[in-house]
Amino acid sequence: MHDSIAALVEQEGWRAEGDAARVHYDGGGDRFAVEFYADAERVLYWTVPAAGSDAAAEPDASAATAAPVPRERIPDPLRRRIREDLDAAGADPDLERRDV
């Protein structure tokens, strides 16, 4: 496991998944999954369906599917938190700003 991944899992809510770390964030009626990939040195944001949502019960089944979110649509408090977590884990907080 990468040192940065091991250090991130020490931060609140983060868990390791191979060469990546993931945390979920609920705020403002939105739910996001945030993934940090150590090898690529990138952070990706995804919208995720609310816990317990059922795609079959929704008229638009795609609404219950995770989808990537452009960084500019992510709330500033979440982006700040991710940079703070990266910094606390010894990773460069500017990695959060890198384009994919």
Side-chain angles (χ1 to χ4, degrees):
M1 179 183 306
H2 291 272
D3 290 344
S4 57
I5 300 299
L8 269 176
V9 299
E10 298 295 321
Q11 305 303 311
E12 183 181 345
W14 288 90
R15 68 176 190 263
E17 296 183 5
D19 289 338
R22 175 181 292 164
V23 65
H24 285 95
Y25 174 85
D26 293 306
D30 293 316
R31 182 176 160 112
F32 297 98
V34 183
E35 298 173 339
F36 169 71
Y37 291 89
D39 286 337
E41 298 185 323
R42 298 291 189 274
V43 173
L44 299 178
Y45 293 95
W46 300 83
T47 59
V48 292
S53 69
D54 181 7
E58 296 182 24
D60 179 9
S62 66
T65 303
V69 179
R71 192 167 276 101
E72 59 272 4
R73 288 188 31 216
I74 301 300
D76 288 336
L78 175 55
R79 292 191 61 197
R80 269 193 307 275
R81 180 205 165 176
I82 299 308
R83 288 191 300 273
E84 289 168 0
D85 286 354
L86 289 170
D87 189 41
D92 182 356
D94 286 335
L95 295 176
E96 187 273 336
R97 293 181 173 102
R98 287 189 179 175
D99 290 331
V100 177

